[in-house]
Amino acid sequence: MTLLSMDAAKDGRPALPGGWADSPSRLRFDWPAAVAALVYAFQPIVQLRSGRCHGYEALLRGFDRTPFADAGELLDAAEAAGALGVVETALHAKAVAAYRALAGWTEAKLFLNLDARLVGRPDSPWLSQDAGGRRHTGVALEISERCPTGPGVSVEAAVDLYRRSGLGIAIDDFGVGFAGLRLLYEARPDYVKLDRFFIAGIDRDTRKRALVAAVVGHAHALGIQIVAEGIETTGEFYACRDLGCDFAQGFLIARPRTDLTGVAPLNAIVEELNRKDRRQPGEAHRRLSEVIERLPPLRVDSRKTDLLDYFKGDSSATIAPIVDEHDRPLGLIRERDLKRFVYSRFGGELLRNRGLGDRLDDLVVTIPVCDISTPLDRVIEAFSTEAADDGIVIVEGGAYAGVLSSGALLRLVHERNLAMATDQNPLTRLPGNAAIVRHIEGALADPARGHVLAYLDFDNFKPFNDNFGFRQGDRAILMFSERLKAWAAGAGSGSGDGFTGHIGGDDFFLGVSGGAEEEVLARLADLVAQFRSDAESLYDAATREAGGFLAKDRYGAVRSFPLLSASGVVVVVAPGPHGLTPDAVNAAIADNKALAKGAADKLCVIRLPEAAPR
């Protein structure tokens, strides 16, 4: 008897998998009535760059018709009554029945929450296939971090049992629960669902972005895909997408609904958000498209004889990418792993013997997976693991696109390093004009966030350089550049993304995207004031005491100049559509340099497109 069959026993209880029978005497509450009163709503999980629907999470609704406030309270009561397994089984059966009654259910996975206390227990749902050997490839179990697994439970062994039935595994609420990285290591999940805590306001919070970027990098290195939960704003959407998250779920994209009639396979909101983003497709997308090997994949339900034909037909192929029924990558099979069959006495017959299993699952090796638009740095990070020896699977729109080999990656790294060296200032090692232009263009193409773009230069640098020598001039430039590096790294970016560049000579650029405007402006003023204090160390005691020095001006006349300082024009671009161009930003900077140098705090703030100086 199988969970999916929903065959009722004579007493009205649902069928249970694995032959387990419950003990009615232990039930201390009317769980059948509670389960009957509840309904399921389904919320889509979509691919961030294409909008393609990957799956639906089943969410319980209707607790107002039960004695329980939420699912947690219901399951806690069931556990106390010794009936957690039978209640969870009944809930899963109800979810599957409701899902299969919806139009188009075969095109996407069903994500079901599994109470972590049931992992590894004999009363856990889904622990066996049905009598006909049916595999539940369309279902992914979400194991929440919020509840600990039972004492002494081998999560790894339990998950292996689920996988034998074809079930996917997702870690839910990742980052706020009990197990953390231990559960990630033991469960070896197919998905990690980042908790809403890390997603809320991520476009304005540098620390959250750093944490999510680290999790994404580690997960992709292990072949795990990332779902960003609870996306509610366009800023959160773009931030999660650009950090490399694979899938999105949240009210911005779609609310849970009981009826999926008319729901398109491509989410219109995500398609529109990506269409509006003028940065797409990026340089990473273009280069990866050019260098990946577009090896034809094999479906995981292909026969093993098809695998032998695959390598025989293309003598140069050493790996075979394996995908599921929706072209989603599962890993690869290496030709070298077949040698024990091919060169053994009966190996070929074993591979061809359908009685021993004719699917490819047992031969699949998991390798890192990256989206085709993933920044090169993150691709390199994924490649730095032992699991990436055979390459990285590249996906586009959630579907298999090709394989990036180690040789192709080395070419990309060489190109990147050469471009950086060409554009880098030799004195300060800061990015040069090309990188600055790209930053401005990218900021203006990102209307979901606000941006602060600042041009900074020294006041009266030529007289200082002429009077005290170029070595002191270089010391001043290096001193200021170190301040800028620390500032852009987070010390002054107001929880935004900081960028700094060196235009040349004593001209510098600072950019912050997504930061709190007032905080950024206040810290910019502090930066300028700090440099004025730092620069005093470049003079002897007599010059410092005099508060200035004598030098020739640009006309050759000798006059007094104050101690070295910096000033800047700050262009503030508010979130929302604006139609601004880099030329408009440059013009605003050029027109207001004199105002900045004459200001008490050495800053002139311009708000575009209004261009009203403050």
Side-chain angles (χ1 to χ4, degrees):
M1 195 176 287
T2 175
L3 170 66
L4 296 185
S5 71
M6 284 296 291
D7 293 333
K10 290 182 180 180
D11 60 1
R13 288 177 286 119
L16 299 175
W20 183 82
D22 66 308
S23 302
S25 62
R26 299 182 65 191
L27 307 185
R28 300 188 182 92
F29 64 97
D30 188 3
W31 67 263
V35 171
L38 297 173
V39 297
Y40 270 99
F42 300 94
Q43 186 175 33
I45 298 171
V46 304
Q47 214 282 336
L48 271 160
R49 292 192 179 274
S50 70
R52 176 180 176 181
C53 183
H54 182 76
Y56 292 89
E57 181 179 358
L59 300 167
L60 278 170
R61 296 292 185 266
F63 282 98
D64 57 324
R65 299 189 294 272
T66 75
F68 307 103
D70 52 35
E73 193 172 292
L74 168 64
L75 295 175
D76 286 346
E79 175 69 352
L84 180 59
V86 68
V87 171
E88 187 81 295
T89 298
L91 290 172
H92 281 201
K94 186 166 188 171
V96 170
Y99 187 63
R100 291 191 168 189
L102 302 173
W105 66 269
T106 57
E107 300 304 313
K109 285 184 177 292
L110 173 62
F111 285 73
L112 284 172
N113 290 280
L114 175 68
D115 193 296
R117 291 170 291 191
L118 286 170
V119 173
R121 280 173 33 174
D123 55 339
S124 175
W126 304 94
L127 277 183
S128 67
Q129 297 176 210
D130 62 20
R134 182 171 188 166
R135 295 176 56 81
H136 312 304
T137 54
V139 176
L141 298 182
E142 296 188 12
I143 303 173
S144 175
E145 265 205 288
R146 292 185 184 273
C147 289
T149 54
V153 169
S154 171
V155 176
E156 187 171 359
V159 167
D160 280 341
L161 291 176
Y162 295 130
R163 281 212 169 90
R164 289 177 192 174
S165 294
L167 295 161
I169 300 295
I171 297 180
D172 195 17
D173 307 315
F174 186 78
V176 296
F178 292 88
L181 293 176
R182 181 182 70 82
L183 185 58
L184 181 66
Y185 173 80
E186 293 181 345
R188 296 174 289 114
D190 304 287
Y191 310 91
V192 163
K193 301 187 75 176
L194 296 177
D195 189 78
R196 164 70 183 159
F197 170 82
F198 297 102
I199 304 305
I202 190 173
D203 52 316
R204 305 182 304 276
D205 193 319
T206 303
R207 290 180 296 170
K208 285 186 178 180
R209 283 198 300 280
L211 288 170
V212 169
V215 172
V216 169
H218 290 307
H220 284 172
L222 298 172
I224 300 168
Q225 294 184 294
I226 296 288
V227 181
E229 290 189 290
I231 291 181
E232 296 182 358
T233 69
T234 56
E236 292 168 358
F237 172 87
Y238 287 124
C240 291
R241 187 203 62 184
D242 293 344
L243 286 170
C245 295
D246 302 286
F247 305 104
Q249 180 180 0
F251 286 174
L252 174 71
I253 295 156
R255 291 178 177 269
R257 54 190 292 183
T258 56
D259 181 11
L260 299 183
T261 304
V263 174
L266 292 178
N267 185 276
I269 294 174
V270 173
E271 285 189 295
E272 178 66 9
L273 287 170
N274 283 315
R275 186 189 65 78
K276 286 181 178 179
D277 185 3
R278 288 181 284 168
R279 296 172 295 174
Q280 297 301 317
E283 179 66 14
H285 183 290
R286 183 184 67 80
R287 284 300 292 134
L288 281 177
S289 296
E290 293 173 351
V291 301
I292 60 173
E293 297 179 65
R294 300 187 181 273
L295 299 175
L298 277 176
R299 287 268 299 265
V300 70
D301 55 1
S302 299
R303 299 174 60 182
K304 289 179 178 176
T305 51
D306 295 335
L307 180 65
L308 295 177
D309 293 338
Y310 184 97
F311 290 117
K312 184 188 302 182
D314 185 352
S315 58
S316 64
T318 59
I319 58 173
I322 308 299
V323 299
D324 66 9
E325 65 274 17
H326 298 296
D327 290 329
R328 294 182 286 250
L330 301 176
L332 54 83
I333 295 177
R334 302 175 295 203
E335 183 185 29
R336 64 178 182 270
D337 292 338
L338 300 182
K339 289 182 179 178
R340 68 180 188 273
F341 296 103
V342 174
Y343 295 117
S344 65
R345 184 175 180 182
F346 301 107
E349 287 75 5
L350 287 174
L351 281 177
R352 293 178 174 86
N353 189 335
R354 302 183 68 178
L356 299 177
D358 200 28
R359 289 173 56 96
L360 304 180
D361 305 65
D362 296 339
L363 300 173
V364 175
V365 176
T366 300
I367 67 171
V369 177
C370 286
D371 187 89
I372 199 165
S373 297
T374 303
L376 183 56
D377 287 343
R378 302 204 188 285
V379 178
I380 295 171
E381 185 177 342
F383 225 112
S384 63
T385 67
E386 182 179 346
D389 287 348
D390 297 289
I392 293 179
V393 169
I394 302 298
V395 297
E396 185 169 12
Y400 168 82
V403 176
L404 180 66
S405 68
S406 56
L409 181 75
L410 288 175
R411 291 199 301 274
L412 293 178
V413 171
H414 176 72
E415 290 174 5
R416 194 272 308 266
N417 291 342
L418 183 61
M420 288 178 60
T422 302
D423 189 41
Q424 194 177 71
N425 186 279
L427 177 62
T428 61
R429 303 295 183 188
L430 287 173
N433 288 318
I436 294 170
V437 170
R438 286 196 299 270
H439 179 87
I440 295 174
E441 290 174 343
L444 296 181
D446 180 10
R449 297 190 288 173
H451 307 277
V452 174
L453 309 172
Y455 166 85
L456 300 162
D457 72 337
F458 296 164
D459 302 322
N460 304 308
F461 181 63
K462 185 178 186 304
F464 172 85
N465 208 41
D466 292 344
N467 194 62
F468 296 99
F470 72 91
R471 291 187 183 278
Q472 285 295 81
D474 285 352
R475 283 188 60 195
I477 289 171
L478 287 169
M479 182 184 295
F480 192 63
S481 70
E482 291 305 314
R483 281 282 186 191
L484 293 180
K485 290 174 184 177
W487 196 96
S493 55
S495 296
D497 287 327
F499 169 85
T500 185
H502 190 171
I503 298 169
D506 64 318
D507 299 330
F508 295 88
F509 174 84
L510 269 178
V512 179
S513 297
E517 180 188 323
E518 293 302 319
E519 184 179 351
V520 173
L521 295 179
R523 291 180 180 269
L524 263 174
D526 289 341
L527 173 70
V528 171
Q530 287 169 354
F531 176 68
R532 186 182 303 179
S533 176
D534 292 343
E536 292 183 2
S537 65
L538 300 170
Y539 303 97
D540 55 47
T543 304
R544 286 198 298 271
E545 186 175 350
F549 59 93
L550 295 175
K552 290 182 179 180
D553 62 19
R554 66 180 64 185
Y555 305 108
V558 176
R559 65 181 185 89
S560 178
F561 290 93
L563 300 183
L564 197 61
S565 61
S567 59
V569 180
V570 185
V571 175
V572 177
V573 181
H578 48 67
L580 293 172
T581 65
D583 287 342
V585 173
N586 293 333
I589 290 171
D591 292 343
N592 291 280
K593 285 183 182 179
L595 285 176
K597 294 185 181 301
D601 62 358
K602 294 291 185 178
L603 290 178
C604 176
V605 179
I606 306 296
R607 286 182 169 78
L608 293 180
E610 293 82 8
R614 189 182 75 178

